[in-house]
Amino acid sequence: MGRSRRTIPEELLLLALDPTTGTTAQPQSLDLGLAGAQLVELALAGRIAPDGDRIAVVLPRPTGDPTLDSALELLRRRGSPVRAVHWIGGPRLGLRQTYLTHLERCGMVHAVEGQMCGVLPTTRYQATESAISREIRARLDTAIRTGVPPDPRTAALAALAHAVGLGKHLYPGNEGRSSRSRLRDLIRHDPMGGLVAHAVMDVQNGVAAQPRRAQAAPGRQPGARAAMPASGVPAQPSRRGSMARVGAR
C-alpha cells in the first residue's frame, strides 16, 4: 500500500481533532473507531473480507503500513475468522497515540506541551495542514448535501464517524440535526464500513458478547444478561437466586 494516500484511521483521527483545543472528541469511542478503521482499510486493500459478522484474512501479504500490518498479523494468528465485535472490543493500548505520532512525523499535526493544574504534563495535538482536514470534511459534507452515493472510503469514514459519535462534533446543535441524520444514513453505502460501524456501536452498548441478532430473554429486566455455557444450556439459578457463573465464552 502506498503512503501517498491517507488511511481511514488517519482521516478519522484528523476529523476528531478539535482545531481550537488540540484535543480529540469522543476519545474513548474513538479508540474503538480506530481499531475498526484498520479493518476497513485492510478490507479495501484486499487483505481481509467479511464473513457474516466475522472477519477473515484472505491475503496475509503485508501492506507496507507497519500499523496495519501489525493488525493483519494478529488477525492471521487467530487462525479462523474472528467476530468484528471481539476484535474491536479487544485491548488496543496506545493505538491513538501511535497514529498521532505518525501524523506528527508526517507534518500533519504538531505537539503542544503543557500542564494540567500547573503540575501534570499534558500534550495536545493541533493540525498543521488545515487544507487536508478541510478536504476530508468537504467529502463528508458533499455526500451529506447531495445524497449521491459516496465512494467506499468516504462511506466507511462517514459510518465510523457516526459510530464513534463525531456527528455532534462535526454538525453541532439543532441546525446540525439533519446533517447528523444523513451522516448516519451513509452507513448503508459500504458493507464493510457498515459491519464495522455496527460492531463499534455494539461494543459501546455492551453487547459484544452476543451476536447482534440475539434478543433478550422474555421477562428479563432491561440491560440484564444471562450467561450461556458452551453447551448452549442456560445456567440454573443457585440457592440464593443468582445465576451460576460459567467460564465458557
Side-chain angles (χ1 to χ4, degrees), residues 50-130:
D51 182 6
D53 66 347
R54 297 174 183 267
I55 304 298
V57 175
V58 295
L59 182 63
R61 188 177 67 203
T63 66
D65 181 304
T67 309
L68 290 175
D69 288 342
S70 176
L72 179 61
E73 177 62 14
L74 288 175
L75 285 167
R76 186 192 66 80
R77 289 179 184 175
R78 295 291 183 95
S80 59
V82 58
R83 287 187 63 202
V85 287
H86 289 167
W87 172 262
I88 291 170
R92 295 291 178 272
L93 297 178
L95 185 59
R96 188 180 358 148
Q97 186 58 50
T98 296
Y99 276 108
L100 284 170
T101 301
H102 170 73
L103 290 175
E104 184 181 19
R105 286 199 304 265
C106 294
M108 286 190 244
V109 303
H110 72 277
V112 180
E113 305 296 336
Q115 289 184 329
M116 180 181 297
C117 301
V119 179
L120 299 176
T122 62
T123 303
R124 296 179 293 114
Y125 291 86
Q126 294 185 317
T128 55
E129 294 288 343
S130 56

Side-chain angles (χ1 to χ4, degrees), residues 6-18 23-26 29-38 40-41 95-96 99-100 103 133 136-137 139-140 153-154 156-167 169-170 183 196 200:
R6 295 179 303 276
T7 64
I8 294 177
E10 293 164 4
E11 293 194 330
L12 183 66
L13 186 51
L14 287 172
L15 273 179
L17 274 179
D18 189 301
T23 59
T24 53
Q26 305 293 338
S29 56
L30 179 62
D31 291 343
L32 302 176
L34 290 173
Q38 287 186 311
V40 175
E41 193 65 51
L95 185 59
R96 188 180 358 148
Y99 276 108
L100 284 170
L103 290 175
S133 297
I136 297 170
R137 174 67 181 271
R139 281 164 41 211
L140 290 185
R153 301 185 69 84
T154 302
L157 181 62
L160 287 162
H162 166 70
V164 303
L166 288 184
H169 169 71
L170 299 171
L183 179 70
V196 169
V200 169

Side-chain angles (χ1 to χ4, degrees), residues 96-244:
R96 188 180 358 148
Q97 186 58 50
T98 296
Y99 276 108
L100 284 170
T101 301
H102 170 73
L103 290 175
E104 184 181 19
R105 286 199 304 265
C106 294
M108 286 190 244
V109 303
H110 72 277
V112 180
E113 305 296 336
Q115 289 184 329
M116 180 181 297
C117 301
V119 179
L120 299 176
T122 62
T123 303
R124 296 179 293 114
Y125 291 86
Q126 294 185 317
T128 55
E129 294 288 343
S130 56
I132 294 177
S133 297
R134 287 197 300 268
E135 183 271 328
I136 297 170
R137 174 67 181 271
R139 281 164 41 211
L140 290 185
D141 290 345
T142 299
I144 287 173
R145 183 178 64 255
T146 64
V148 176
D151 63 274
R153 301 185 69 84
T154 302
L157 181 62
L160 287 162
H162 166 70
V164 303
L166 288 184
K168 292 183 179 179
H169 169 71
L170 299 171
Y171 307 103
N174 289 332
E175 64 276 12
R177 182 178 301 173
S178 60
S179 293
R180 293 195 298 271
S181 177
R182 287 192 289 270
L183 179 70
R184 178 196 62 217
D185 292 342
L186 291 175
I187 201 171
R188 70 182 187 274
H189 289 294
D190 180 65
M192 186 66 177
L195 168 65
V196 169
H198 282 299
V200 169
M201 290 184 285
D202 281 351
V203 173
Q204 293 181 84
N205 292 331
V207 296
Q210 303 177 33
R212 295 193 68 249
R213 63 179 178 272
Q215 300 295 323
R220 293 189 59 82
Q221 295 298 319
R225 293 190 194 169
M228 183 72 71
S231 64
V233 179
Q236 297 300 315
S238 67
R239 294 180 181 178
R240 295 183 180 180
S242 60
M243 296 299 291

